[in-house]
Amino acid sequence: MPAQNQPAQNGSDPAQEKRLSAQEKAIHKQLVQSALLAFTALIAICAVGIAWFVNNSRVSGNGVEVQSSGAPFELASAGDVGQYPPSADVVGDKDTTALTTPPTPLYTTSGANTLVTWMVNGTSSLNNAAGSTKKLQPGSSGSITFYVLPKTAALGTLKFTLGLTPYQVSKNDTDAGRVQIADKIYAAPLDSTDTTSAAVYSLLQGHLLFFKNYNKATQTYSGWVDGSFTQSFTGKPVGTAVSITLYWVWPLQFTNYLYTGTGNLFATANDDFTALVTNNMNNAHERYFHANTGTLTLPNIDPSMDATAIKTCTGYYNAADELLGNSIRYLQLELTATEQ
Amino acid sequence: MKNALHKWISQQKLRITAALLSVAAVTALLGSYAWFYNQRGLRTMTEVEAPYQLTIYGGNKTEITEIDLSGINLDSTTRKAHFVFCVSGTSTEAYEIELAHTTNVPFTYSIYKTTQKTEDQQVPGDILFNKSPDGKNYYYTLGESPLPGHYINLGIASDLASTTDKAYEDTYKAYGSAATVQKRAVPLYYLLNNPITPPTLPAGETTFYDYYILEVSWDESLVKTGNQKETDLVYLMAQN
């Protein structure tokens, strides 16, 4: 007799058993499919990998050269010598292709050296050009020139920032930012967190002024540079050098700011006068005046000031000059250019 | 199919957010690095002069508030009176000496360069300075000729200041016309022609002392005629 109706095993339902095995089969099928896919991918990767490794025999490493893929501009200067180059300074790459008229060798920045020494000469430096001494003091003035070399036709506007850092003679090895000026002479920047030194940093902004233009006939200035200025280089061809000259002055006395005309800062009470004297001197007086003792009580500064007010301001201005002269032995000027 | 995708996205939200954030961070980093990469700079340094002072002393470095010009005896046979002063300082820069005086009394002023000598070094004709706090006498030889100088604001008359130059205008315009200003109250400014360079100091010394004799002289007409009771103001200035 054939065994047809076998008794159920373990109390399980034969119908449920059939469903389970159907699910199991579906999962099993998915797994197999995924596994196959993964395996195929693995084979492909291995194949590519091996092919690359095999090709490696034709790759020889001679040393890697990294070339800066085109900064849009470089800065340069022309001159005989770098002045007091701090030990970290680097003389830029010498470029003797005729970029200037007359042709002058230029020392340029590059991708490898983005901050280089500003080469100076008799007509372009931060040394005093008015008078017998080269050192800076109230009444000093001069001009300093630099060049912008566009490296791409798409160069737009550049922003130039001027940074002045006062240095004092340094006797301790541990002074922060110490640089060697000459044999056995070291200098370190003033600590800007110290109250008096902070005053010196501020006063430098107001006593050492930079201008874009100078009128030799009237000895007056225009185009005041208040820390930074922008200039457009659109249309300047690649391979040329655009020269920019900054005229700097340390005015001798307060009345050089207040009075206008020949020998003073400004020829007339123009926009520059308004910006510097009327606005800046009144609103940022820590850049111009210093009180040796007590607090600074300034009268309002405008052309109609009376003699007593002028005398008060002159006293504060001269005290500031004296503080600057006593606190600073070396002065660093750093020009930074960035694309706008 | 679409539902399955949405379901998958909502399940993986956290991972997707994390992935996108990291991509954004990397892009930002690359972007700012590129900005720094395009910055260029030039740097130079210069030296700053220390402020220095010039001081005017009397003979033998005596501190004075004024040069005592009293005791000018008009009966003197030489018709000259001499006073000693000293210019002292720490700078190596040349300085100028200027004398300003009103013109009530027709004196002539000259400045001679001299050196200091002690009592035992004196020779006849030396100028005496006996007001030193140490009580000693010091002597100064009067040179052959005074230091050359000139008046910088002389007017048409040889003994009056100009009333037409800019300095006069700036100073006295508040008073109206020249007629209202006492002509002999307007000072004459006498400037030595050549700035004087301080002497090179021996090692270890920082201050120099340059001695001078101020000679006040007059001619006979003053003794005879008058203006003997007038007063003048005399200022002595030294500046770099």
Side-chain angles (χ1 to χ4, degrees):
Chain A
M1 264 217 194
Q4 275 193 1
N5 291 326
Q6 286 194 3
Q9 289 176 9
N10 300 333
S12 54
D13 188 5
Q16 201 181 9
E17 256 194 34
K18 262 193 190 164
R19 276 204 300 278
L20 275 173
S21 74
Q23 266 184 344
E24 273 177 10
K25 277 191 184 156
I27 291 171
H28 182 77
K29 190 177 167 191
Q30 265 189 341
L31 270 175
V32 168
Q33 278 179 341
S34 309
L36 271 175
L37 199 61
F39 189 64
T40 318
L42 181 64
I43 300 255
I45 290 169
C46 283
V48 169
I50 288 171
W52 182 73
F53 270 117
V54 164
N55 270 340
N56 200 29
S57 64
R58 295 199 213 136
V59 172
S60 56
N62 271 342
V64 177
E65 216 182 75
V66 175
Q67 217 178 22
S68 58
S69 65
F73 69 97
E74 297 293 349
L75 291 181
S77 54
D80 317 315
V81 67
Q83 181 92 344
Y84 297 122
S87 38
D89 257 359
V90 169
V91 174
D93 301 336
K94 191 171 181 182
D95 187 336
T96 48
T97 59
L99 293 173
T100 54
T101 328
T104 322
L106 294 179
Y107 296 85
T108 72
T109 56
S110 63
N113 301 314
T114 57
L115 176 63
V116 300
T117 303
W118 200 331
M119 305 301 277
V120 298
N121 59 27
T123 50
S124 161
S125 74
L126 201 59
N127 294 331
N128 180 26
S132 54
T133 177
K134 287 211 266 182
K135 298 186 199 175
L136 294 193
Q137 57 186 322
S140 296
S141 64
S143 65
I144 191 162
T145 307
F146 66 97
Y147 300 84
V148 175
L149 277 52
K151 293 292 182 196
T152 157
L155 183 61
T157 310
L158 291 180
K159 180 175 179 185
F160 301 96
T161 312
L162 296 171
L164 285 170
T165 312
Y167 280 68
Q168 186 50 283
V169 170
S170 160
K171 301 249 164 60
N172 300 325
D173 288 354
T174 52
D175 288 337
R178 199 180 198 232
V179 293
Q180 180 162 25
I181 303 292
D183 186 34
K184 295 197 193 98
I185 303 180
Y186 294 85
L190 265 57
D191 180 8
S192 53
T193 56
D194 173 68
T195 327
T196 314
S197 300
V200 172
Y201 274 91
S202 298
L203 289 170
L204 261 182
Q205 306 292 320
H207 283 242
L208 193 65
L209 304 172
F210 287 84
F211 296 90
K212 299 290 295 298
N213 315 99
Y214 174 65
N215 183 325
K216 209 167 174 186
T218 55
Q219 296 163 39
T220 55
Y221 297 85
S222 64
W224 179 40
V225 174
D226 183 8
S228 66
F229 67 100
T230 57
Q231 188 158 323
S232 167
F233 292 86
T234 320
K236 299 289 180 194
V238 176
T240 60
V242 180
S243 101
I244 298 175
T245 303
L246 292 172
Y247 300 90
W248 57 268
V249 59
W250 184 342
L252 183 64
Q253 49 199 350
F254 168 69
T255 49
N256 289 132
Y257 292 78
L258 188 69
Y259 296 161
T260 54
T262 306
N264 293 311
L265 273 181
F266 304 114
T268 58
N270 52 19
D271 291 340
D272 281 314
F273 180 89
T274 311
L276 207 169
V277 183
T278 314
N279 294 338
N280 208 244
M281 266 189 150
N282 280 313
N283 300 328
H285 54 73
E286 68 279 356
R287 292 172 140 207
Y288 304 91
F289 306 106
H290 178 73
N292 279 330
T293 51
T295 49
L296 200 65
T297 40
L298 268 181
N300 188 50
I301 296 163
D302 66 68
S304 63
M305 292 168 81
D306 65 14
T308 318
I310 293 178
K311 190 176 170 195
T312 309
C313 291
T314 304
Y316 287 138
Y317 183 85
N318 290 343
D321 271 344
E322 194 159 337
L323 178 67
L324 285 172
N326 283 326
S327 310
I328 309 175
R329 199 78 296 115
Y330 303 97
L331 184 61
Q332 176 185 280
L333 171 67
E334 188 170 321
L335 169 81
T336 317
T338 49
E339 233 186 334
Q340 279 291 73
Chain B
M1 190 58 203
K2 215 178 177 179
N3 284 337
L5 186 66
H6 281 175
K7 199 173 172 193
W8 182 79
I9 288 176
S10 59
Q11 277 175 345
Q12 304 295 325
K13 231 184 211 163
L14 187 61
R15 283 191 199 162
I16 293 172
T17 318
L20 285 172
L21 272 175
S22 53
V23 168
V26 169
T27 318
L29 214 68
L30 280 175
S32 56
Y33 174 77
W35 179 74
F36 271 115
Y37 183 76
N38 282 338
Q39 189 179 62
R40 294 290 186 269
L42 294 174
R43 190 159 64 173
T44 184
M45 231 179 187
T46 189
E47 209 169 337
V48 174
E49 186 69 85
Y52 35 67
Q53 273 185 320
L54 289 175
T55 319
I56 296 183
Y57 291 117
N60 193 33
K61 308 172 195 172
T62 309
E63 274 194 30
I64 52 169
T65 51
E66 56 184 21
I67 296 179
D68 190 354
L69 295 183
S70 62
I72 294 179
N73 184 4
L74 287 182
D75 293 328
S76 141
T77 46
T78 55
R79 293 201 294 275
K80 288 179 188 170
H82 298 95
F83 307 92
V84 176
F85 68 92
C86 164
V87 175
S88 164
T90 51
S91 82
T92 52
E93 289 300 306
Y95 60 89
E96 295 180 308
I97 296 182
E98 190 177 33
L99 195 76
H101 63 89
T102 48
T103 53
N104 288 302
V105 189
F107 283 145
T108 306
Y109 300 87
S110 332
I111 296 174
Y112 291 76
K113 188 131 194 346
T114 187
T115 49
Q116 178 163 289
K117 297 193 293 196
T118 52
E119 185 117 36
D120 43 355
Q121 293 168 320
Q122 70 155 137
V123 296
D126 280 353
I127 309 301
L128 164 70
F129 180 77
N130 57 5
K131 300 202 180 85
S132 173
D134 64 2
K136 297 190 185 145
N137 291 340
Y138 293 91
Y139 294 86
Y140 306 85
T141 307
L142 194 62
E144 282 290 318
S145 51
L147 292 169
H150 64 287
Y151 284 103
I152 56 176
N153 67 332
L154 210 52
I156 303 165
S158 67
D159 61 345
L160 285 174
S162 162
T163 55
T164 52
D165 62 6
K166 189 162 192 305
Y168 184 90
E169 208 180 291
D170 284 345
T171 318
Y172 298 103
K173 67 180 176 207
Y175 300 104
S177 71
T180 56
V181 182
Q182 220 291 346
K183 63 187 178 190
R184 297 208 177 274
V186 181
L188 276 175
Y189 289 87
Y190 180 80
L191 183 65
L192 290 184
N193 287 344
N194 305 310
I196 296 144
T197 313
T200 322
L201 293 166
E205 278 182 42
T206 51
T207 315
F208 68 86
Y209 298 90
D210 278 347
Y211 286 96
Y212 299 91
I213 296 173
L214 173 64
E215 179 183 87
V216 179
S217 57
W218 60 93
D219 64 16
E220 259 185 283
S221 58
L222 172 59
V223 181
K224 288 176 181 163
T225 56
N227 269 1
Q228 296 181 14
K229 300 289 189 213
E230 288 283 351
T231 311
D232 265 338
L233 291 171
V234 181
Y235 289 93
L236 184 68
M237 291 153 279
Q239 75 161 25
N240 290 108

mmCIF file of all heavy atoms in Angstrom, chain B residues 176-200:
data_model
loop_
_atom_site.group_PDB
_atom_site.id
_atom_site.type_symbol
_atom_site.label_atom_id
_atom_site.label_comp_id
_atom_site.label_asym_id
_atom_site.label_seq_id
_atom_site.Cartn_x
_atom_site.Cartn_y
_atom_site.Cartn_z
ATOM 1 N N GLY B 176 45.919 145.338 12.265
ATOM 2 C CA GLY B 176 45.588 146.328 11.233
ATOM 3 C C GLY B 176 46.809 146.719 10.430
ATOM 4 O O GLY B 176 47.644 145.896 10.108
ATOM 5 N N SER B 177 46.920 147.988 10.156
ATOM 6 C CA SER B 177 48.014 148.417 9.270
ATOM 7 C C SER B 177 49.320 148.514 10.038
ATOM 8 O O SER B 177 49.354 148.495 11.268
ATOM 9 C CB SER B 177 47.683 149.783 8.678
ATOM 10 O OG SER B 177 47.778 150.764 9.696
ATOM 11 N N ALA B 178 50.421 148.673 9.287
ATOM 12 C CA ALA B 178 51.742 148.771 9.908
ATOM 13 C C ALA B 178 51.851 149.995 10.802
ATOM 14 O O ALA B 178 52.647 150.041 11.719
ATOM 15 C CB ALA B 178 52.816 148.812 8.815
ATOM 16 N N ALA B 179 51.013 150.970 10.550
ATOM 17 C CA ALA B 179 51.087 152.208 11.337
ATOM 18 C C ALA B 179 50.711 151.990 12.791
ATOM 19 O O ALA B 179 51.090 152.754 13.666
ATOM 20 C CB ALA B 179 50.184 153.264 10.705
ATOM 21 N N THR B 180 49.958 150.947 13.097
ATOM 22 C CA THR B 180 49.537 150.752 14.475
ATOM 23 C C THR B 180 50.492 149.874 15.269
ATOM 24 O O THR B 180 50.286 149.661 16.461
ATOM 25 C CB THR B 180 48.145 150.099 14.537
ATOM 26 O OG1 THR B 180 48.207 148.872 13.801
ATOM 27 C CG2 THR B 180 47.088 151.002 13.923
ATOM 28 N N VAL B 181 51.531 149.345 14.625
ATOM 29 C CA VAL B 181 52.492 148.483 15.314
ATOM 30 C C VAL B 181 53.777 149.260 15.555
ATOM 31 O O VAL B 181 54.315 149.879 14.640
ATOM 32 C CB VAL B 181 52.802 147.214 14.475
ATOM 33 C CG1 VAL B 181 53.770 146.304 15.221
ATOM 34 C CG2 VAL B 181 51.521 146.470 14.148
ATOM 35 N N GLN B 182 54.270 149.252 16.794
ATOM 36 C CA GLN B 182 55.501 149.958 17.152
ATOM 37 C C GLN B 182 56.646 149.332 16.363
ATOM 38 O O GLN B 182 56.960 148.169 16.529
ATOM 39 C CB GLN B 182 55.753 149.823 18.663
ATOM 40 C CG GLN B 182 56.262 151.061 19.340
ATOM 41 C CD GLN B 182 57.699 151.421 18.936
ATOM 42 O OE1 GLN B 182 58.419 150.623 18.355
ATOM 43 N NE2 GLN B 182 58.086 152.614 19.258
ATOM 44 N N LYS B 183 57.279 150.117 15.491
ATOM 45 C CA LYS B 183 58.239 149.518 14.564
ATOM 46 C C LYS B 183 59.446 148.920 15.275
ATOM 47 O O LYS B 183 60.060 147.990 14.772
ATOM 48 C CB LYS B 183 58.693 150.556 13.527
ATOM 49 C CG LYS B 183 59.411 151.724 14.130
ATOM 50 C CD LYS B 183 59.674 152.786 13.086
ATOM 51 C CE LYS B 183 60.364 153.977 13.746
ATOM 52 N NZ LYS B 183 60.449 155.130 12.850
ATOM 53 N N ARG B 184 59.784 149.452 16.469
ATOM 54 C CA ARG B 184 60.949 148.902 17.147
ATOM 55 C C ARG B 184 60.601 147.709 18.048
ATOM 56 O O ARG B 184 61.468 147.126 18.686
ATOM 57 C CB ARG B 184 61.649 149.984 17.958
ATOM 58 C CG ARG B 184 62.170 151.070 17.054
ATOM 59 C CD ARG B 184 63.380 151.794 17.594
ATOM 60 N NE ARG B 184 63.853 152.772 16.619
ATOM 61 C CZ ARG B 184 64.696 152.471 15.632
ATOM 62 N NH1 ARG B 184 65.165 151.249 15.500
ATOM 63 N NH2 ARG B 184 65.057 153.405 14.775
ATOM 64 N N ALA B 185 59.307 147.384 18.082
ATOM 65 C CA ALA B 185 58.907 146.209 18.855
ATOM 66 C C ALA B 185 58.912 144.964 17.976
ATOM 67 O O ALA B 185 58.808 143.840 18.469
ATOM 68 C CB ALA B 185 57.523 146.408 19.447
ATOM 69 N N VAL B 186 59.013 145.184 16.681
ATOM 70 C CA VAL B 186 59.054 144.043 15.757
ATOM 71 C C VAL B 186 60.484 143.496 15.776
ATOM 72 O O VAL B 186 61.426 144.224 15.462
ATOM 73 C CB VAL B 186 58.683 144.476 14.329
ATOM 74 C CG1 VAL B 186 58.704 143.280 13.398
ATOM 75 C CG2 VAL B 186 57.322 145.147 14.321
ATOM 76 N N PRO B 187 60.657 142.240 16.137
ATOM 77 C CA PRO B 187 62.024 141.739 16.296
ATOM 78 C C PRO B 187 62.729 141.509 14.969
ATOM 79 O O PRO B 187 62.107 141.199 13.963
ATOM 80 C CB PRO B 187 61.841 140.409 17.046
ATOM 81 C CG PRO B 187 60.452 139.993 16.754
ATOM 82 C CD PRO B 187 59.655 141.217 16.475
ATOM 83 N N LEU B 188 64.034 141.684 15.028
ATOM 84 C CA LEU B 188 64.894 141.310 13.919
ATOM 85 C C LEU B 188 65.429 139.911 14.219
ATOM 86 O O LEU B 188 65.770 139.603 15.353
ATOM 87 C CB LEU B 188 66.078 142.277 13.807
ATOM 88 C CG LEU B 188 65.872 143.568 13.050
ATOM 89 C CD1 LEU B 188 67.116 144.437 13.148
ATOM 90 C CD2 LEU B 188 65.560 143.278 11.580
ATOM 91 N N TYR B 189 65.492 139.071 13.198
ATOM 92 C CA TYR B 189 65.987 137.712 13.390
ATOM 93 C C TYR B 189 67.348 137.567 12.739
ATOM 94 O O TYR B 189 67.500 137.809 11.542
ATOM 95 C CB TYR B 189 65.020 136.696 12.778
ATOM 96 C CG TYR B 189 63.740 136.582 13.550
ATOM 97 C CD1 TYR B 189 62.679 137.436 13.293
ATOM 98 C CD2 TYR B 189 63.600 135.641 14.550
ATOM 99 C CE1 TYR B 189 61.506 137.358 14.029
ATOM 100 C CE2 TYR B 189 62.435 135.546 15.283
ATOM 101 C CZ TYR B 189 61.392 136.408 15.022
ATOM 102 O OH TYR B 189 60.246 136.317 15.741
ATOM 103 N N TYR B 190 68.316 137.195 13.545
ATOM 104 C CA TYR B 190 69.691 137.051 13.074
ATOM 105 C C TYR B 190 70.046 135.577 13.061
ATOM 106 O O TYR B 190 70.003 134.904 14.091
ATOM 107 C CB TYR B 190 70.625 137.818 14.027
ATOM 108 C CG TYR B 190 72.078 137.767 13.661
ATOM 109 C CD1 TYR B 190 72.592 138.608 12.666
ATOM 110 C CD2 TYR B 190 72.951 136.907 14.312
ATOM 111 C CE1 TYR B 190 73.932 138.587 12.341
ATOM 112 C CE2 TYR B 190 74.298 136.880 13.986
ATOM 113 C CZ TYR B 190 74.781 137.716 13.010
ATOM 114 O OH TYR B 190 76.114 137.692 12.676
ATOM 115 N N LEU B 191 70.390 135.092 11.880
ATOM 116 C CA LEU B 191 70.671 133.659 11.748
ATOM 117 C C LEU B 191 72.113 133.475 11.324
ATOM 118 O O LEU B 191 72.599 134.173 10.429
ATOM 119 C CB LEU B 191 69.736 133.062 10.692
ATOM 120 C CG LEU B 191 69.811 131.568 10.440
ATOM 121 C CD1 LEU B 191 69.375 130.788 11.660
ATOM 122 C CD2 LEU B 191 68.925 131.205 9.252
ATOM 123 N N LEU B 192 72.810 132.552 11.979
ATOM 124 C CA LEU B 192 74.165 132.246 11.549
ATOM 125 C C LEU B 192 74.099 131.591 10.178
ATOM 126 O O LEU B 192 73.232 130.771 9.908
ATOM 127 C CB LEU B 192 74.856 131.308 12.543
ATOM 128 C CG LEU B 192 75.203 131.912 13.908
ATOM 129 C CD1 LEU B 192 75.961 130.901 14.737
ATOM 130 C CD2 LEU B 192 76.015 133.175 13.739
ATOM 131 N N ASN B 193 75.036 131.960 9.336
ATOM 132 C CA ASN B 193 75.005 131.478 7.956
ATOM 133 C C ASN B 193 75.113 129.970 7.840
ATOM 134 O O ASN B 193 74.460 129.349 7.008
ATOM 135 C CB ASN B 193 76.149 132.112 7.149
ATOM 136 C CG ASN B 193 75.864 133.568 6.870
ATOM 137 O OD1 ASN B 193 74.743 134.025 6.999
ATOM 138 N ND2 ASN B 193 76.901 134.301 6.499
ATOM 139 N N ASN B 194 75.992 129.407 8.648
ATOM 140 C CA ASN B 194 76.247 127.980 8.489
ATOM 141 C C ASN B 194 75.814 127.195 9.717
ATOM 142 O O ASN B 194 76.152 127.562 10.837
ATOM 143 C CB ASN B 194 77.741 127.735 8.273
ATOM 144 C CG ASN B 194 78.266 128.552 7.116
ATOM 145 O OD1 ASN B 194 77.704 128.535 6.044
ATOM 146 N ND2 ASN B 194 79.323 129.295 7.365
ATOM 147 N N PRO B 195 75.084 126.087 9.523
ATOM 148 C CA PRO B 195 74.765 125.233 10.675
ATOM 149 C C PRO B 195 76.066 124.694 11.265
ATOM 150 O O PRO B 195 77.050 124.515 10.551
ATOM 151 C CB PRO B 195 73.943 124.103 10.068
ATOM 152 C CG PRO B 195 73.530 124.571 8.735
ATOM 153 C CD PRO B 195 74.535 125.574 8.282
ATOM 154 N N ILE B 196 76.038 124.487 12.568
ATOM 155 C CA ILE B 196 77.242 124.025 13.257
ATOM 156 C C ILE B 196 77.126 122.541 13.534
ATOM 157 O O ILE B 196 76.127 122.069 14.084
ATOM 158 C CB ILE B 196 77.414 124.810 14.571
ATOM 159 C CG1 ILE B 196 77.638 126.275 14.236
ATOM 160 C CG2 ILE B 196 78.590 124.266 15.371
ATOM 161 C CD1 ILE B 196 77.016 127.203 15.207
ATOM 162 N N THR B 197 78.145 121.817 13.140
ATOM 163 C CA THR B 197 78.138 120.374 13.377
ATOM 164 C C THR B 197 78.763 120.104 14.738
ATOM 165 O O THR B 197 79.838 120.616 15.032
ATOM 166 C CB THR B 197 78.961 119.659 12.295
ATOM 167 O OG1 THR B 197 78.584 120.170 11.040
ATOM 168 C CG2 THR B 197 78.737 118.173 12.343
ATOM 169 N N PRO B 198 78.084 119.324 15.573
ATOM 170 C CA PRO B 198 78.661 119.018 16.879
ATOM 171 C C PRO B 198 79.977 118.278 16.716
ATOM 172 O O PRO B 198 80.159 117.534 15.752
ATOM 173 C CB PRO B 198 77.612 118.115 17.536
ATOM 174 C CG PRO B 198 76.372 118.338 16.771
ATOM 175 C CD PRO B 198 76.785 118.716 15.393
ATOM 176 N N PRO B 199 80.894 118.449 17.663
ATOM 177 C CA PRO B 199 82.189 117.775 17.531
ATOM 178 C C PRO B 199 82.027 116.268 17.731
ATOM 179 O O PRO B 199 81.090 115.814 18.378
ATOM 180 C CB PRO B 199 83.013 118.386 18.658
ATOM 181 C CG PRO B 199 82.002 118.821 19.659
ATOM 182 C CD PRO B 199 80.786 119.213 18.895
ATOM 183 N N THR B 200 82.950 115.519 17.139
ATOM 184 C CA THR B 200 82.943 114.074 17.358
ATOM 185 C C THR B 200 83.356 113.824 18.801
ATOM 186 O O THR B 200 84.340 114.381 19.275
ATOM 187 C CB THR B 200 83.974 113.390 16.440
ATOM 188 O OG1 THR B 200 83.961 114.060 15.201
ATOM 189 C CG2 THR B 200 83.652 111.936 16.258
#
